[in-house]
Amino acid sequence: MQYTDITSRALTYLLRSPHLHIDMTEAIYRGLAELLYAQPDGVLLRLRAPWNGRTFLYECSAAIPERSAALLEQLEPNVPLVAHQDYTVTQYQALHPTCVTQRCLQGQWPSFTPPARDLEVEIWPLDLGDLPVVLEHYDLIQDEEELSYLIRAGQLYGACVDDQLAGFAGTHVEGTLGLLTVLPEYRRRGLGLALERYVIRQEVRRGHIPFCQMFDDNDVSLHLQQKVGMELHPQPIWWLLPHT
Protein backbone atom coordinates (compact mmCIF):
# COMPACT_ATOMS: atom_id res chain seq x y z
CA MET A 1 0.00 0.00 0.00
CA GLN A 2 1.05 3.62 -0.50
CA TYR A 3 0.77 6.01 2.42
CA THR A 4 -0.85 9.33 1.55
CA ASP A 5 -2.32 12.10 3.67
CA ILE A 6 -5.79 10.53 3.52
CA THR A 7 -4.35 7.12 4.45
CA SER A 8 -2.64 8.61 7.48
CA ARG A 9 -5.83 10.39 8.55
CA ALA A 10 -7.83 7.19 8.18
CA LEU A 11 -5.41 5.08 10.20
CA THR A 12 -5.09 7.77 12.89
CA TYR A 13 -8.85 7.60 13.41
CA LEU A 14 -9.24 3.82 13.10
CA LEU A 15 -6.33 2.90 15.36
CA ARG A 16 -7.93 4.73 18.28
CA SER A 17 -10.06 1.56 18.54
CA PRO A 18 -7.99 -1.06 16.70
CA HIS A 19 -10.05 -4.07 17.74
CA LEU A 20 -13.30 -2.49 16.61
CA HIS A 21 -11.79 -1.49 13.27
CA ILE A 22 -9.67 -4.56 12.43
CA ASP A 23 -11.73 -5.15 9.27
CA MET A 24 -11.21 -1.58 8.05
CA THR A 25 -7.50 -1.33 8.83
CA GLU A 26 -6.80 -4.68 7.16
CA ALA A 27 -8.75 -3.56 4.08
CA ILE A 28 -6.46 -0.52 3.89
CA TYR A 29 -3.22 -2.41 4.58
CA ARG A 30 -4.07 -5.03 1.94
CA GLY A 31 -4.91 -2.44 -0.69
CA LEU A 32 -8.53 -3.56 -0.93
CA ALA A 33 -10.22 -0.29 -0.02
CA GLU A 34 -10.81 3.07 -1.65
CA LEU A 35 -10.85 5.87 0.91
CA LEU A 36 -13.89 8.06 0.35
CA TYR A 37 -13.65 10.04 3.59
CA ALA A 38 -11.06 10.21 6.36
CA GLN A 39 -11.11 12.92 9.01
CA PRO A 40 -10.94 13.04 12.83
CA ASP A 41 -14.70 12.36 12.99
CA GLY A 42 -14.92 9.29 10.77
CA VAL A 43 -13.84 7.06 7.89
CA LEU A 44 -15.73 5.64 4.91
CA LEU A 45 -14.27 2.89 2.71
CA ARG A 46 -15.49 1.49 -0.60
CA LEU A 47 -14.50 -1.99 -1.78
CA ARG A 48 -14.80 -3.05 -5.40
CA ALA A 49 -15.09 -6.59 -6.72
CA PRO A 50 -11.78 -7.49 -8.42
CA TRP A 51 -13.56 -9.54 -11.09
CA ASN A 52 -15.82 -6.77 -12.43
CA GLY A 53 -14.87 -3.51 -10.70
CA ARG A 54 -18.30 -2.96 -9.18
CA THR A 55 -18.78 -1.68 -5.64
CA PHE A 56 -19.73 -4.63 -3.44
CA LEU A 57 -19.27 -3.25 0.08
CA TYR A 58 -18.94 -0.08 2.15
CA GLU A 59 -17.36 0.07 5.61
CA CYS A 60 -18.16 3.04 7.82
CA SER A 61 -17.14 4.32 11.23
CA ALA A 62 -18.21 7.71 12.57
CA ALA A 63 -17.40 9.39 15.86
CA ILE A 64 -20.69 11.32 15.97
CA PRO A 65 -24.18 10.72 14.55
CA GLU A 66 -24.03 13.87 12.41
CA ARG A 67 -20.99 12.56 10.53
CA SER A 68 -22.58 9.15 10.20
CA ALA A 69 -25.68 10.63 8.58
CA ALA A 70 -23.55 12.61 6.12
CA LEU A 71 -21.51 9.55 5.16
CA LEU A 72 -24.63 7.52 4.47
CA GLU A 73 -25.54 10.03 1.79
CA GLN A 74 -22.46 8.93 -0.19
CA LEU A 75 -23.48 5.29 -0.57
CA GLU A 76 -24.56 3.79 -3.86
CA PRO A 77 -27.98 2.12 -3.66
CA ASN A 78 -28.29 -1.63 -3.12
CA VAL A 79 -24.75 -2.09 -1.78
CA PRO A 80 -24.21 -3.66 1.68
CA LEU A 81 -22.70 -1.62 4.49
CA VAL A 82 -20.65 -2.67 7.52
CA ALA A 83 -21.46 -0.22 10.32
CA HIS A 84 -19.37 0.18 13.47
CA GLN A 85 -21.76 2.28 15.60
CA ASP A 86 -25.33 1.60 16.61
CA TYR A 87 -26.54 5.06 15.57
CA THR A 88 -25.38 4.33 12.02
CA VAL A 89 -27.56 1.23 12.10
CA THR A 90 -30.59 3.26 13.22
CA GLN A 91 -30.00 5.86 10.53
CA TYR A 92 -29.54 3.25 7.81
CA GLN A 93 -32.69 1.38 8.87
CA ALA A 94 -34.66 4.63 8.62
CA LEU A 95 -33.46 5.03 5.04
CA HIS A 96 -33.95 1.34 4.20
CA PRO A 97 -36.84 -0.01 6.30
CA THR A 98 -36.71 -3.46 4.65
CA CYS A 99 -32.96 -3.99 5.05
CA VAL A 100 -31.57 -7.12 6.71
CA THR A 101 -29.51 -6.37 9.84
CA GLN A 102 -26.91 -8.88 11.03
CA ARG A 103 -25.09 -8.17 14.29
CA CYS A 104 -21.59 -9.66 14.44
CA LEU A 105 -18.59 -9.97 16.71
CA GLN A 106 -15.04 -9.78 15.43
CA GLY A 107 -11.98 -11.73 16.44
CA GLN A 108 -8.34 -11.68 15.45
CA TRP A 109 -5.26 -13.85 15.72
CA PRO A 110 -3.38 -12.41 18.71
CA SER A 111 0.25 -12.94 17.68
CA PHE A 112 2.68 -13.06 14.76
CA THR A 113 3.27 -16.77 15.38
CA PRO A 114 0.97 -19.02 13.33
CA PRO A 115 -0.81 -22.00 14.88
CA ALA A 116 0.69 -25.44 14.51
CA ARG A 117 -0.31 -27.31 11.37
CA ASP A 118 -2.38 -30.49 11.78
CA LEU A 119 -0.19 -33.03 10.00
CA GLU A 120 -2.93 -35.67 10.04
CA VAL A 121 -5.18 -33.68 7.68
CA GLU A 122 -4.23 -33.17 4.05
CA ILE A 123 -5.09 -29.63 2.90
CA TRP A 124 -4.42 -28.03 -0.47
CA PRO A 125 -5.56 -25.01 -2.53
CA LEU A 126 -8.77 -25.65 -4.42
CA ASP A 127 -8.94 -25.48 -8.22
CA LEU A 128 -11.89 -24.70 -10.46
CA GLY A 129 -12.71 -28.39 -10.68
CA ASP A 130 -13.84 -28.14 -7.04
CA LEU A 131 -16.23 -25.26 -7.75
CA PRO A 132 -19.38 -27.44 -8.12
CA VAL A 133 -18.84 -28.89 -4.62
CA VAL A 134 -18.38 -25.41 -3.13
CA LEU A 135 -21.52 -24.14 -4.85
CA GLU A 136 -23.51 -27.12 -3.62
CA HIS A 137 -22.47 -26.92 0.02
CA TYR A 138 -21.88 -23.21 0.74
CA ASP A 139 -25.13 -21.26 0.65
CA LEU A 140 -24.04 -17.79 1.84
CA ILE A 141 -22.44 -17.06 -1.54
CA GLN A 142 -24.21 -18.24 -4.64
CA ASP A 143 -22.32 -15.98 -7.03
CA GLU A 144 -20.29 -18.37 -9.18
CA GLU A 145 -18.10 -15.52 -10.42
CA GLU A 146 -17.14 -14.55 -6.87
CA LEU A 147 -16.32 -18.09 -5.81
CA SER A 148 -14.36 -18.65 -9.00
CA TYR A 149 -12.32 -15.55 -8.21
CA LEU A 150 -11.54 -16.78 -4.69
CA ILE A 151 -10.31 -20.09 -6.09
CA ARG A 152 -8.20 -18.48 -8.80
CA ALA A 153 -6.74 -16.03 -6.25
CA GLY A 154 -5.65 -18.89 -3.99
CA GLN A 155 -8.04 -17.88 -1.20
CA LEU A 156 -9.89 -21.20 -0.82
CA TYR A 157 -8.41 -24.41 0.56
CA GLY A 158 -9.78 -27.92 0.79
CA ALA A 159 -9.32 -30.83 3.20
CA CYS A 160 -8.96 -34.25 1.60
CA VAL A 161 -10.11 -37.60 3.01
CA ASP A 162 -9.48 -40.70 0.92
CA ASP A 163 -8.81 -38.53 -2.14
CA GLN A 164 -12.20 -36.81 -1.77
CA LEU A 165 -12.91 -33.17 -0.97
CA ALA A 166 -14.27 -33.31 2.59
CA GLY A 167 -14.40 -29.62 3.50
CA PHE A 168 -13.10 -26.19 2.64
CA ALA A 169 -12.33 -22.77 4.11
CA GLY A 170 -10.61 -19.56 3.09
CA THR A 171 -10.87 -15.80 3.12
CA HIS A 172 -13.63 -13.61 1.71
CA VAL A 173 -12.86 -10.87 -0.81
CA GLU A 174 -12.80 -8.28 2.01
CA GLY A 175 -10.20 -10.37 3.89
CA THR A 176 -12.36 -12.01 6.55
CA LEU A 177 -11.69 -15.64 7.43
CA GLY A 178 -14.69 -17.72 6.49
CA LEU A 179 -16.46 -20.04 4.08
CA LEU A 180 -15.71 -22.84 6.54
CA THR A 181 -17.72 -25.88 5.52
CA VAL A 182 -17.30 -29.57 6.29
CA LEU A 183 -19.39 -31.95 4.23
CA PRO A 184 -21.92 -33.84 6.39
CA GLU A 185 -20.33 -37.28 6.05
CA TYR A 186 -16.95 -35.97 7.26
CA ARG A 187 -18.01 -34.03 10.34
CA ARG A 188 -16.77 -34.63 13.90
CA ARG A 189 -13.27 -35.51 12.67
CA GLY A 190 -11.56 -32.22 13.52
CA LEU A 191 -11.48 -31.05 9.91
CA GLY A 192 -13.01 -27.65 10.68
CA LEU A 193 -10.36 -26.90 13.27
CA ALA A 194 -7.57 -28.08 10.95
CA LEU A 195 -8.88 -25.94 8.08
CA GLU A 196 -9.18 -22.86 10.27
CA ARG A 197 -5.62 -23.26 11.50
CA TYR A 198 -4.36 -23.76 7.98
CA VAL A 199 -6.00 -20.58 6.69
CA ILE A 200 -4.65 -18.61 9.66
CA ARG A 201 -1.15 -19.92 8.85
CA GLN A 202 -1.47 -18.76 5.25
CA GLU A 203 -2.66 -15.31 6.31
CA VAL A 204 0.18 -14.85 8.82
CA ARG A 205 2.72 -15.90 6.20
CA ARG A 206 1.31 -13.25 3.85
CA GLY A 207 1.85 -10.57 6.49
CA HIS A 208 -1.85 -10.19 7.28
CA ILE A 209 -3.57 -10.08 10.66
CA PRO A 210 -6.10 -12.94 10.41
CA PHE A 211 -9.53 -11.82 11.55
CA CYS A 212 -13.03 -13.24 11.56
CA GLN A 213 -16.63 -12.08 11.91
CA MET A 214 -19.40 -14.17 13.44
CA PHE A 215 -23.08 -13.67 14.12
CA ASP A 216 -23.16 -12.98 17.86
CA ASP A 217 -25.78 -15.71 18.41
CA ASN A 218 -23.82 -18.42 16.56
CA ASP A 219 -22.53 -20.39 19.54
CA VAL A 220 -20.93 -23.08 17.36
CA SER A 221 -18.83 -20.57 15.45
CA LEU A 222 -17.93 -18.63 18.59
CA HIS A 223 -16.79 -21.84 20.29
CA LEU A 224 -14.66 -22.83 17.29
CA GLN A 225 -12.94 -19.45 17.15
CA GLN A 226 -12.16 -19.60 20.86
CA LYS A 227 -10.87 -23.16 20.51
CA VAL A 228 -8.54 -22.25 17.66
CA GLY A 229 -7.16 -19.36 19.74
CA MET A 230 -8.82 -16.30 18.24
CA GLU A 231 -9.10 -13.24 20.49
CA LEU A 232 -12.77 -12.23 20.41
CA HIS A 233 -13.77 -8.60 20.88
CA PRO A 234 -16.96 -7.58 22.71
CA GLN A 235 -17.84 -4.53 20.60
CA PRO A 236 -20.28 -5.51 17.83
CA ILE A 237 -20.40 -4.44 14.23
CA TRP A 238 -23.40 -4.71 11.92
CA TRP A 239 -23.80 -5.94 8.36
CA LEU A 240 -26.65 -4.01 6.74
CA LEU A 241 -28.02 -5.64 3.61
CA PRO A 242 -30.43 -3.57 1.52
CA HIS A 243 -33.47 -5.47 0.30
CA THR A 244 -33.41 -5.55 -3.50
Side-chain angles (χ1 to χ4, degrees), residues 168-182:
F168 51 87
T171 55
H172 291 279
V173 179
E174 68 273 13
T176 317
L177 299 181
L179 299 110
L180 179 60
T181 302
V182 177

Side-chain angles (χ1 to χ4, degrees), residues 124-194:
W124 77 101
L126 296 186
D127 60 41
L128 290 176
D130 299 307
L131 180 59
V133 178
V134 177
L135 282 167
E136 179 182 355
H137 292 279
Y138 189 74
D139 57 6
L140 293 182
I141 300 176
Q142 287 299 299
D143 185 338
E144 185 171 336
E145 197 173 9
E146 180 176 350
L147 292 171
S148 296
Y149 169 81
L150 293 176
I151 292 173
R152 293 196 309 272
Q155 292 180 226
L156 268 179
Y157 309 92
C160 177
V161 174
D162 298 328
D163 295 324
Q164 298 295 318
L165 180 60
F168 51 87
T171 55
H172 291 279
V173 179
E174 68 273 13
T176 317
L177 299 181
L179 299 110
L180 179 60
T181 302
V182 177
L183 277 59
E185 59 267 37
Y186 298 105
R187 291 172 184 168
R188 300 188 182 279
R189 301 190 189 187
L191 297 183
L193 193 62

Side-chain angles (χ1 to χ4, degrees), residues 13 16-17 20-21 40-43 60-72 81-95 101 103 235-238 240:
Y13 170 88
R16 295 175 193 161
S17 302
L20 175 63
H21 297 126
D41 61 354
V43 173
C60 174
S61 179
I64 56 175
E66 292 78 9
R67 175 50 55 196
S68 173
L71 292 179
L72 291 182
L81 168 70
V82 178
H84 292 71
Q85 286 81 29
D86 54 3
Y87 43 77
T88 304
V89 178
T90 302
Q91 293 167 346
Y92 189 92
Q93 290 171 335
L95 296 171
T101 302
R103 177 176 157 133
Q235 292 175 280
I237 62 169
W238 293 264
L240 300 166

